[in-house]
mmCIF file of all heavy atoms in Angstrom:
data_model
loop_
_atom_site.group_PDB
_atom_site.id
_atom_site.type_symbol
_atom_site.label_atom_id
_atom_site.label_comp_id
_atom_site.label_asym_id
_atom_site.label_seq_id
_atom_site.Cartn_x
_atom_site.Cartn_y
_atom_site.Cartn_z
ATOM 1 N N ASP A 275 -79.715 -62.578 -19.249
ATOM 2 C CA ASP A 275 -80.082 -61.642 -18.180
ATOM 3 C C ASP A 275 -80.831 -62.397 -17.081
ATOM 4 O O ASP A 275 -81.922 -62.933 -17.323
ATOM 5 C CB ASP A 275 -80.962 -60.531 -18.758
ATOM 6 C CG ASP A 275 -81.204 -59.406 -17.752
ATOM 7 O OD1 ASP A 275 -80.830 -59.570 -16.577
ATOM 8 O OD2 ASP A 275 -81.773 -58.373 -18.153
ATOM 9 N N PRO A 276 -80.301 -62.443 -15.860
ATOM 10 C CA PRO A 276 -80.989 -63.161 -14.772
ATOM 11 C C PRO A 276 -82.386 -62.613 -14.493
ATOM 12 O O PRO A 276 -83.253 -63.344 -13.994
ATOM 13 C CB PRO A 276 -80.052 -62.961 -13.573
ATOM 14 C CG PRO A 276 -78.720 -62.642 -14.170
ATOM 15 C CD PRO A 276 -79.011 -61.892 -15.429
ATOM 16 N N ALA A 277 -82.602 -61.336 -14.806
ATOM 17 C CA ALA A 277 -83.914 -60.741 -14.542
ATOM 18 C C ALA A 277 -85.010 -61.429 -15.349
ATOM 19 O O ALA A 277 -86.159 -61.531 -14.893
ATOM 20 C CB ALA A 277 -83.880 -59.246 -14.862
ATOM 21 N N LEU A 278 -84.671 -61.917 -16.530
ATOM 22 C CA LEU A 278 -85.662 -62.601 -17.357
ATOM 23 C C LEU A 278 -86.077 -63.927 -16.720
ATOM 24 O O LEU A 278 -87.259 -64.288 -16.712
ATOM 25 C CB LEU A 278 -85.101 -62.840 -18.752
ATOM 26 C CG LEU A 278 -84.752 -61.585 -19.564
ATOM 27 C CD1 LEU A 278 -84.095 -61.970 -20.888
ATOM 28 C CD2 LEU A 278 -86.007 -60.761 -19.817
ATOM 29 N N GLU A 279 -85.099 -64.651 -16.191
ATOM 30 C CA GLU A 279 -85.410 -65.917 -15.518
ATOM 31 C C GLU A 279 -86.173 -65.666 -14.225
ATOM 32 O O GLU A 279 -87.113 -66.405 -13.889
ATOM 33 C CB GLU A 279 -84.127 -66.697 -15.251
ATOM 34 C CG GLU A 279 -83.395 -67.126 -16.513
ATOM 35 C CD GLU A 279 -82.108 -67.872 -16.226
ATOM 36 O OE1 GLU A 279 -81.424 -67.523 -15.247
ATOM 37 O OE2 GLU A 279 -81.802 -68.810 -16.975
ATOM 38 N N ASP A 280 -85.794 -64.625 -13.491
ATOM 39 C CA ASP A 280 -86.495 -64.287 -12.250
ATOM 40 C C ASP A 280 -87.943 -63.911 -12.526
ATOM 41 O O ASP A 280 -88.856 -64.275 -11.769
ATOM 42 C CB ASP A 280 -85.773 -63.144 -11.537
ATOM 43 C CG ASP A 280 -84.390 -63.549 -11.036
ATOM 44 O OD1 ASP A 280 -84.156 -64.763 -10.876
ATOM 45 O OD2 ASP A 280 -83.552 -62.655 -10.822
ATOM 46 N N ALA A 281 -88.152 -63.188 -13.620
ATOM 47 C CA ALA A 281 -89.514 -62.796 -13.972
ATOM 48 C C ALA A 281 -90.354 -64.018 -14.308
ATOM 49 O O ALA A 281 -91.540 -64.097 -13.942
ATOM 50 C CB ALA A 281 -89.487 -61.828 -15.157
ATOM 51 N N SER A 282 -89.749 -64.990 -15.001
ATOM 52 C CA SER A 282 -90.469 -66.212 -15.344
ATOM 53 C C SER A 282 -90.861 -66.989 -14.093
ATOM 54 O O SER A 282 -92.004 -67.469 -13.980
ATOM 55 C CB SER A 282 -89.593 -67.097 -16.254
ATOM 56 O OG SER A 282 -90.218 -68.325 -16.512
ATOM 57 N N VAL A 283 -89.943 -67.085 -13.149
ATOM 58 C CA VAL A 283 -90.231 -67.798 -11.902
ATOM 59 C C VAL A 283 -91.300 -67.067 -11.094
ATOM 60 O O VAL A 283 -92.198 -67.690 -10.497
ATOM 61 C CB VAL A 283 -88.940 -67.961 -11.082
ATOM 62 C CG1 VAL A 283 -89.246 -68.575 -9.706
ATOM 63 C CG2 VAL A 283 -87.942 -68.838 -11.824
ATOM 64 N N SER A 284 -91.220 -65.734 -11.064
ATOM 65 C CA SER A 284 -92.193 -64.953 -10.299
ATOM 66 C C SER A 284 -93.609 -65.079 -10.858
ATOM 67 O O SER A 284 -94.594 -64.873 -10.140
ATOM 68 C CB SER A 284 -91.784 -63.479 -10.282
ATOM 69 O OG SER A 284 -91.869 -62.919 -11.589
ATOM 70 N N LEU A 285 -93.706 -65.433 -12.147
ATOM 71 C CA LEU A 285 -95.014 -65.622 -12.774
ATOM 72 C C LEU A 285 -95.538 -67.047 -12.618
ATOM 73 O O LEU A 285 -96.575 -67.396 -13.183
ATOM 74 C CB LEU A 285 -94.939 -65.256 -14.259
ATOM 75 C CG LEU A 285 -94.694 -63.772 -14.563
ATOM 76 C CD1 LEU A 285 -94.491 -63.555 -16.058
ATOM 77 C CD2 LEU A 285 -95.877 -62.932 -14.057
ATOM 78 N N GLY A 286 -94.798 -67.868 -11.864
ATOM 79 C CA GLY A 286 -95.278 -69.202 -11.549
ATOM 80 C C GLY A 286 -94.645 -70.323 -12.343
ATOM 81 O O GLY A 286 -95.018 -71.491 -12.171
ATOM 82 N N ALA A 287 -93.712 -70.016 -13.225
ATOM 83 C CA ALA A 287 -93.071 -71.060 -14.025
ATOM 84 C C ALA A 287 -92.052 -71.820 -13.176
ATOM 85 O O ALA A 287 -91.371 -71.241 -12.327
ATOM 86 C CB ALA A 287 -92.387 -70.451 -15.245
ATOM 87 N N SER A 288 -91.956 -73.109 -13.424
ATOM 88 C CA SER A 288 -90.954 -73.919 -12.727
ATOM 89 C C SER A 288 -89.586 -73.683 -13.353
ATOM 90 O O SER A 288 -89.467 -73.042 -14.406
ATOM 91 C CB SER A 288 -91.324 -75.397 -12.812
ATOM 92 O OG SER A 288 -91.299 -75.835 -14.169
ATOM 93 N N GLU A 289 -88.548 -74.221 -12.701
ATOM 94 C CA GLU A 289 -87.200 -74.062 -13.253
ATOM 95 C C GLU A 289 -87.081 -74.739 -14.619
ATOM 96 O O GLU A 289 -86.426 -74.216 -15.524
ATOM 97 C CB GLU A 289 -86.168 -74.647 -12.289
ATOM 98 C CG GLU A 289 -84.726 -74.449 -12.750
ATOM 99 C CD GLU A 289 -83.718 -74.945 -11.737
ATOM 100 O OE1 GLU A 289 -84.122 -75.303 -10.613
ATOM 101 O OE2 GLU A 289 -82.514 -74.978 -12.072
ATOM 102 N N ARG A 290 -87.746 -75.888 -14.755
ATOM 103 C CA ARG A 290 -87.722 -76.586 -16.040
ATOM 104 C C ARG A 290 -88.426 -75.778 -17.119
ATOM 105 O O ARG A 290 -87.928 -75.663 -18.246
ATOM 106 C CB ARG A 290 -88.380 -77.951 -15.883
ATOM 107 C CG ARG A 290 -88.427 -78.770 -17.170
ATOM 108 C CD ARG A 290 -89.063 -80.121 -16.928
ATOM 109 N NE ARG A 290 -89.138 -80.903 -18.146
ATOM 110 C CZ ARG A 290 -89.663 -82.120 -18.240
ATOM 111 N NH1 ARG A 290 -90.166 -82.686 -17.143
ATOM 112 N NH2 ARG A 290 -89.690 -82.756 -19.384
ATOM 113 N N GLU A 291 -89.575 -75.227 -16.802
ATOM 114 C CA GLU A 291 -90.306 -74.413 -17.774
ATOM 115 C C GLU A 291 -89.522 -73.159 -18.136
ATOM 116 O O GLU A 291 -89.503 -72.735 -19.301
ATOM 117 C CB GLU A 291 -91.674 -74.042 -17.211
ATOM 118 C CG GLU A 291 -92.619 -75.227 -17.081
ATOM 119 C CD GLU A 291 -93.907 -74.867 -16.362
ATOM 120 O OE1 GLU A 291 -93.870 -73.936 -15.506
ATOM 121 O OE2 GLU A 291 -94.942 -75.496 -16.646
ATOM 122 N N THR A 292 -88.864 -72.567 -17.150
ATOM 123 C CA THR A 292 -88.044 -71.379 -17.411
ATOM 124 C C THR A 292 -86.890 -71.705 -18.343
ATOM 125 O O THR A 292 -86.563 -70.929 -19.240
ATOM 126 C CB THR A 292 -87.509 -70.817 -16.080
ATOM 127 O OG1 THR A 292 -88.609 -70.436 -15.247
ATOM 128 C CG2 THR A 292 -86.628 -69.596 -16.332
ATOM 129 N N PHE A 293 -86.309 -72.878 -18.136
ATOM 130 C CA PHE A 293 -85.188 -73.276 -18.987
ATOM 131 C C PHE A 293 -85.627 -73.444 -20.437
ATOM 132 O O PHE A 293 -85.007 -72.905 -21.353
ATOM 133 C CB PHE A 293 -84.574 -74.575 -18.475
ATOM 134 C CG PHE A 293 -83.559 -75.181 -19.403
ATOM 135 C CD1 PHE A 293 -82.280 -74.657 -19.486
ATOM 136 C CD2 PHE A 293 -83.888 -76.268 -20.203
ATOM 137 C CE1 PHE A 293 -81.338 -75.201 -20.348
ATOM 138 C CE2 PHE A 293 -82.956 -76.828 -21.060
ATOM 139 C CZ PHE A 293 -81.684 -76.293 -21.134
ATOM 140 N N PHE A 294 -86.720 -74.179 -20.654
ATOM 141 C CA PHE A 294 -87.143 -74.498 -22.017
ATOM 142 C C PHE A 294 -87.830 -73.316 -22.721
ATOM 143 O O PHE A 294 -87.768 -73.223 -23.953
ATOM 144 C CB PHE A 294 -88.084 -75.707 -22.019
ATOM 145 C CG PHE A 294 -87.373 -77.018 -21.865
ATOM 146 C CD1 PHE A 294 -87.427 -77.718 -20.667
ATOM 147 C CD2 PHE A 294 -86.636 -77.553 -22.911
ATOM 148 C CE1 PHE A 294 -86.769 -78.924 -20.522
ATOM 149 C CE2 PHE A 294 -85.970 -78.763 -22.772
ATOM 150 C CZ PHE A 294 -86.043 -79.451 -21.573
ATOM 151 N N HIS A 295 -88.437 -72.420 -21.975
ATOM 152 C CA HIS A 295 -89.203 -71.347 -22.601
ATOM 153 C C HIS A 295 -88.516 -69.984 -22.538
ATOM 154 O O HIS A 295 -88.945 -69.051 -23.240
ATOM 155 C CB HIS A 295 -90.589 -71.245 -21.961
ATOM 156 C CG HIS A 295 -91.437 -72.462 -22.161
ATOM 157 N ND1 HIS A 295 -91.980 -72.796 -23.383
ATOM 158 C CD2 HIS A 295 -91.813 -73.449 -21.301
ATOM 159 C CE1 HIS A 295 -92.669 -73.915 -23.275
ATOM 160 N NE2 HIS A 295 -92.572 -74.345 -22.019
ATOM 161 N N VAL A 296 -87.477 -69.857 -21.713
ATOM 162 C CA VAL A 296 -86.787 -68.567 -21.596
ATOM 163 C C VAL A 296 -85.303 -68.700 -21.914
ATOM 164 O O VAL A 296 -84.820 -68.106 -22.879
ATOM 165 C CB VAL A 296 -86.966 -67.967 -20.175
ATOM 166 C CG1 VAL A 296 -86.195 -66.643 -20.060
ATOM 167 C CG2 VAL A 296 -88.447 -67.735 -19.881
ATOM 168 N N SER A 297 -84.589 -69.481 -21.116
ATOM 169 C CA SER A 297 -83.129 -69.552 -21.253
ATOM 170 C C SER A 297 -82.701 -70.185 -22.573
ATOM 171 O O SER A 297 -81.883 -69.619 -23.308
ATOM 172 C CB SER A 297 -82.536 -70.350 -20.084
ATOM 173 O OG SER A 297 -82.900 -69.792 -18.850
ATOM 174 N N LEU A 298 -83.243 -71.364 -22.881
ATOM 175 C CA LEU A 298 -82.825 -72.081 -24.088
ATOM 176 C C LEU A 298 -83.124 -71.302 -25.369
ATOM 177 O O LEU A 298 -82.252 -71.219 -26.245
ATOM 178 C CB LEU A 298 -83.472 -73.465 -24.124
ATOM 179 C CG LEU A 298 -82.992 -74.403 -25.239
ATOM 180 C CD1 LEU A 298 -81.488 -74.633 -25.130
ATOM 181 C CD2 LEU A 298 -83.732 -75.738 -25.180
ATOM 182 N N PRO A 299 -84.322 -70.728 -25.540
ATOM 183 C CA PRO A 299 -84.547 -69.938 -26.763
ATOM 184 C C PRO A 299 -83.585 -68.766 -26.916
ATOM 185 O O PRO A 299 -83.217 -68.410 -28.038
ATOM 186 C CB PRO A 299 -85.999 -69.447 -26.596
ATOM 187 C CG PRO A 299 -86.638 -70.466 -25.720
ATOM 188 C CD PRO A 299 -85.566 -70.876 -24.752
ATOM 189 N N LEU A 300 -83.183 -68.165 -25.809
ATOM 190 C CA LEU A 300 -82.272 -67.026 -25.886
ATOM 191 C C LEU A 300 -80.884 -67.431 -26.380
ATOM 192 O O LEU A 300 -80.234 -66.675 -27.096
ATOM 193 C CB LEU A 300 -82.157 -66.352 -24.516
ATOM 194 C CG LEU A 300 -83.329 -65.460 -24.093
ATOM 195 C CD1 LEU A 300 -83.163 -65.011 -22.654
ATOM 196 C CD2 LEU A 300 -83.442 -64.256 -25.022
ATOM 197 N N VAL A 301 -80.430 -68.605 -25.970
ATOM 198 C CA VAL A 301 -79.078 -69.030 -26.340
ATOM 199 C C VAL A 301 -79.066 -69.906 -27.585
ATOM 200 O O VAL A 301 -77.988 -70.311 -28.035
ATOM 201 C CB VAL A 301 -78.394 -69.796 -25.180
ATOM 202 C CG1 VAL A 301 -78.334 -68.928 -23.927
ATOM 203 C CG2 VAL A 301 -79.114 -71.111 -24.890
ATOM 204 N N LEU A 302 -80.220 -70.216 -28.153
ATOM 205 C CA LEU A 302 -80.285 -71.133 -29.285
ATOM 206 C C LEU A 302 -79.432 -70.693 -30.468
ATOM 207 O O LEU A 302 -78.743 -71.525 -31.085
ATOM 208 C CB LEU A 302 -81.741 -71.326 -29.719
ATOM 209 C CG LEU A 302 -81.987 -72.428 -30.751
ATOM 210 C CD1 LEU A 302 -81.489 -73.779 -30.230
ATOM 211 C CD2 LEU A 302 -83.466 -72.513 -31.107
ATOM 212 N N PRO A 303 -79.439 -69.394 -30.863
ATOM 213 C CA PRO A 303 -78.546 -68.997 -31.971
ATOM 214 C C PRO A 303 -77.078 -69.267 -31.673
ATOM 215 O O PRO A 303 -76.326 -69.710 -32.545
ATOM 216 C CB PRO A 303 -78.821 -67.492 -32.111
ATOM 217 C CG PRO A 303 -80.184 -67.297 -31.539
ATOM 218 C CD PRO A 303 -80.279 -68.275 -30.416
ATOM 219 N N GLY A 304 -76.677 -69.016 -30.424
ATOM 220 C CA GLY A 304 -75.292 -69.297 -30.050
ATOM 221 C C GLY A 304 -74.991 -70.779 -30.048
ATOM 222 O O GLY A 304 -73.897 -71.201 -30.435
ATOM 223 N N LEU A 305 -75.955 -71.600 -29.631
ATOM 224 C CA LEU A 305 -75.769 -73.051 -29.651
ATOM 225 C C LEU A 305 -75.622 -73.562 -31.076
ATOM 226 O O LEU A 305 -74.869 -74.509 -31.328
ATOM 227 C CB LEU A 305 -76.943 -73.745 -28.968
ATOM 228 C CG LEU A 305 -77.052 -73.552 -27.450
ATOM 229 C CD1 LEU A 305 -78.326 -74.194 -26.924
ATOM 230 C CD2 LEU A 305 -75.828 -74.121 -26.747
ATOM 231 N N THR A 306 -76.347 -72.940 -31.992
ATOM 232 C CA THR A 306 -76.199 -73.312 -33.402
ATOM 233 C C THR A 306 -74.788 -73.020 -33.886
ATOM 234 O O THR A 306 -74.181 -73.818 -34.612
ATOM 235 C CB THR A 306 -77.217 -72.552 -34.268
ATOM 236 O OG1 THR A 306 -78.532 -72.765 -33.755
ATOM 237 C CG2 THR A 306 -77.157 -73.015 -35.716
ATOM 238 N N ALA A 307 -74.246 -71.891 -33.473
ATOM 239 C CA ALA A 307 -72.871 -71.545 -33.838
ATOM 240 C C ALA A 307 -71.880 -72.524 -33.232
ATOM 241 O O ALA A 307 -70.894 -72.915 -33.874
ATOM 242 C CB ALA A 307 -72.551 -70.111 -33.379
ATOM 243 N N ILE A 308 -72.128 -72.962 -31.995
ATOM 244 C CA ILE A 308 -71.265 -73.956 -31.354
ATOM 245 C C ILE A 308 -71.324 -75.264 -32.120
ATOM 246 O O ILE A 308 -70.296 -75.924 -32.346
ATOM 247 C CB ILE A 308 -71.680 -74.157 -29.887
ATOM 248 C CG1 ILE A 308 -71.406 -72.887 -29.074
ATOM 249 C CG2 ILE A 308 -70.937 -75.344 -29.272
ATOM 250 C CD1 ILE A 308 -71.947 -72.940 -27.659
ATOM 251 N N TRP A 309 -72.526 -75.663 -32.544
ATOM 252 C CA TRP A 309 -72.685 -76.890 -33.321
ATOM 253 C C TRP A 309 -71.828 -76.834 -34.578
ATOM 254 O O TRP A 309 -71.125 -77.797 -34.920
ATOM 255 C CB TRP A 309 -74.152 -77.091 -33.687
ATOM 256 C CG TRP A 309 -74.472 -78.412 -34.306
ATOM 257 C CD1 TRP A 309 -74.968 -79.512 -33.689
ATOM 258 C CD2 TRP A 309 -74.297 -78.787 -35.695
ATOM 259 N NE1 TRP A 309 -75.121 -80.547 -34.578
ATOM 260 C CE2 TRP A 309 -74.717 -80.132 -35.815
ATOM 261 C CE3 TRP A 309 -73.838 -78.127 -36.823
ATOM 262 C CZ2 TRP A 309 -74.695 -80.818 -37.032
ATOM 263 C CZ3 TRP A 309 -73.804 -78.805 -38.034
ATOM 264 C CH2 TRP A 309 -74.224 -80.127 -38.139
ATOM 265 N N VAL A 310 -71.872 -75.718 -35.274
ATOM 266 C CA VAL A 310 -71.102 -75.574 -36.509
ATOM 267 C C VAL A 310 -69.605 -75.630 -36.219
ATOM 268 O O VAL A 310 -68.836 -76.278 -36.939
ATOM 269 C CB VAL A 310 -71.458 -74.255 -37.227
ATOM 270 C CG1 VAL A 310 -70.563 -74.042 -38.445
ATOM 271 C CG2 VAL A 310 -72.924 -74.264 -37.661
ATOM 272 N N MET A 311 -69.167 -74.983 -35.142
ATOM 273 C CA MET A 311 -67.748 -74.982 -34.803
ATOM 274 C C MET A 311 -67.252 -76.390 -34.472
ATOM 275 O O MET A 311 -66.179 -76.809 -34.927
ATOM 276 C CB MET A 311 -67.488 -74.038 -33.630
ATOM 277 C CG MET A 311 -66.042 -74.003 -33.164
ATOM 278 S SD MET A 311 -64.885 -73.555 -34.494
ATOM 279 C CE MET A 311 -65.281 -71.822 -34.693
ATOM 280 N N VAL A 312 -68.016 -77.140 -33.682
ATOM 281 C CA VAL A 312 -67.623 -78.518 -33.357
ATOM 282 C C VAL A 312 -67.620 -79.375 -34.616
ATOM 283 O O VAL A 312 -66.739 -80.229 -34.810
ATOM 284 C CB VAL A 312 -68.560 -79.116 -32.290
ATOM 285 C CG1 VAL A 312 -68.228 -80.590 -32.047
ATOM 286 C CG2 VAL A 312 -68.452 -78.333 -30.989
ATOM 287 N N PHE A 313 -68.592 -79.163 -35.487
ATOM 288 C CA PHE A 313 -68.646 -79.893 -36.763
ATOM 289 C C PHE A 313 -67.379 -79.659 -37.573
ATOM 290 O O PHE A 313 -66.783 -80.600 -38.121
ATOM 291 C CB PHE A 313 -69.875 -79.442 -37.552
ATOM 292 C CG PHE A 313 -69.996 -80.071 -38.915
ATOM 293 C CD1 PHE A 313 -70.597 -81.310 -39.064
ATOM 294 C CD2 PHE A 313 -69.498 -79.430 -40.039
ATOM 295 C CE1 PHE A 313 -70.696 -81.899 -40.320
ATOM 296 C CE2 PHE A 313 -69.599 -80.005 -41.293
ATOM 297 C CZ PHE A 313 -70.203 -81.249 -41.436
ATOM 298 N N ILE A 314 -66.931 -78.405 -37.645
ATOM 299 C CA ILE A 314 -65.715 -78.067 -38.397
ATOM 300 C C ILE A 314 -64.505 -78.770 -37.791
ATOM 301 O O ILE A 314 -63.689 -79.377 -38.507
ATOM 302 C CB ILE A 314 -65.495 -76.549 -38.417
ATOM 303 C CG1 ILE A 314 -66.623 -75.847 -39.167
ATOM 304 C CG2 ILE A 314 -64.155 -76.201 -39.061
ATOM 305 C CD1 ILE A 314 -66.577 -74.345 -39.049
ATOM 306 N N ARG A 315 -64.381 -78.700 -36.475
ATOM 307 C CA ARG A 315 -63.216 -79.300 -35.809
ATOM 308 C C ARG A 315 -63.193 -80.809 -36.012
ATOM 309 O O ARG A 315 -62.115 -81.412 -36.186
ATOM 310 C CB ARG A 315 -63.249 -78.961 -34.317
ATOM 311 C CG ARG A 315 -63.112 -77.480 -33.998
ATOM 312 C CD ARG A 315 -61.712 -76.967 -34.295
ATOM 313 N NE ARG A 315 -60.747 -77.598 -33.429
ATOM 314 C CZ ARG A 315 -60.412 -77.143 -32.221
ATOM 315 N NH1 ARG A 315 -60.985 -76.045 -31.739
ATOM 316 N NH2 ARG A 315 -59.512 -77.762 -31.493
ATOM 317 N N THR A 316 -64.360 -81.433 -35.983
ATOM 318 C CA THR A 316 -64.421 -82.882 -36.165
ATOM 319 C C THR A 316 -64.110 -83.276 -37.598
ATOM 320 O O THR A 316 -63.493 -84.326 -37.846
ATOM 321 C CB THR A 316 -65.807 -83.421 -35.766
ATOM 322 O OG1 THR A 316 -66.157 -82.932 -34.469
ATOM 323 C CG2 THR A 316 -65.816 -84.943 -35.730
ATOM 324 N N MET A 317 -64.519 -82.441 -38.554
ATOM 325 C CA MET A 317 -64.268 -82.738 -39.967
ATOM 326 C C MET A 317 -62.783 -82.886 -40.265
ATOM 327 O O MET A 317 -62.388 -83.674 -41.142
ATOM 328 C CB MET A 317 -64.856 -81.637 -40.847
ATOM 329 C CG MET A 317 -66.342 -81.739 -41.095
ATOM 330 S SD MET A 317 -66.782 -83.009 -42.302
ATOM 331 C CE MET A 317 -66.124 -82.294 -43.821
ATOM 332 N N VAL A 318 -61.935 -82.132 -39.567
ATOM 333 C CA VAL A 318 -60.501 -82.141 -39.870
ATOM 334 C C VAL A 318 -59.700 -83.001 -38.889
ATOM 335 O O VAL A 318 -58.471 -83.016 -38.950
ATOM 336 C CB VAL A 318 -59.939 -80.703 -39.885
ATOM 337 C CG1 VAL A 318 -60.622 -79.875 -40.950
ATOM 338 C CG2 VAL A 318 -60.101 -80.024 -38.521
ATOM 339 N N ALA A 319 -60.376 -83.709 -37.986
ATOM 340 C CA ALA A 319 -59.682 -84.546 -36.996
ATOM 341 C C ALA A 319 -59.527 -85.961 -37.520
ATOM 342 O O ALA A 319 -60.431 -86.498 -38.160
ATOM 343 C CB ALA A 319 -60.456 -84.542 -35.678
ATOM 344 N N TYR A 320 -58.391 -86.578 -37.243
ATOM 345 C CA TYR A 320 -58.186 -87.957 -37.692
ATOM 346 C C TYR A 320 -57.491 -88.844 -36.665
ATOM 347 O O TYR A 320 -57.357 -90.054 -36.879
ATOM 348 C CB TYR A 320 -57.381 -87.992 -38.996
ATOM 349 C CG TYR A 320 -55.923 -87.641 -38.872
ATOM 350 C CD1 TYR A 320 -54.964 -88.625 -38.675
ATOM 351 C CD2 TYR A 320 -55.493 -86.324 -38.946
ATOM 352 C CE1 TYR A 320 -53.619 -88.320 -38.557
ATOM 353 C CE2 TYR A 320 -54.148 -86.002 -38.830
ATOM 354 C CZ TYR A 320 -53.215 -86.995 -38.638
ATOM 355 O OH TYR A 320 -51.894 -86.666 -38.510
ATOM 356 N N VAL A 321 -57.068 -88.279 -35.531
ATOM 357 C CA VAL A 321 -56.358 -89.075 -34.535
ATOM 358 C C VAL A 321 -57.265 -90.168 -33.975
ATOM 359 O O VAL A 321 -56.846 -91.320 -33.800
ATOM 360 C CB VAL A 321 -55.832 -88.178 -33.398
ATOM 361 C CG1 VAL A 321 -55.123 -89.033 -32.340
ATOM 362 C CG2 VAL A 321 -54.872 -87.126 -33.944
#
């Protein structure tokens, strides 16, 4: 939700702080799922 990032910036956080404290924690579960999916694809690759 862009409103969450906008709220962080309006409270004085920098773009870097917003990324590490707002955006990244929100997507972390999805990133874990991506990690597992790439791991699976690599396990069966041999080319």
Side-chain angles (χ1 to χ4, degrees):
D275 189 351
L278 297 175
E279 296 179 324
D280 294 339
S282 175
V283 174
S284 67
L285 293 174
S288 64
E289 183 176 352
R290 179 179 179 181
E291 291 173 331
T292 299
F293 171 77
F294 282 106
H295 296 289
V296 178
S297 303
L298 187 59
L300 283 173
V301 302
L302 189 58
L305 291 175
T306 306
I308 293 173
W309 189 97
V310 175
M311 178 57 71
V312 175
F313 177 85
I314 296 171
R315 296 290 295 272
T316 309
M317 280 284 291
V318 299
Y320 72 93
V321 178

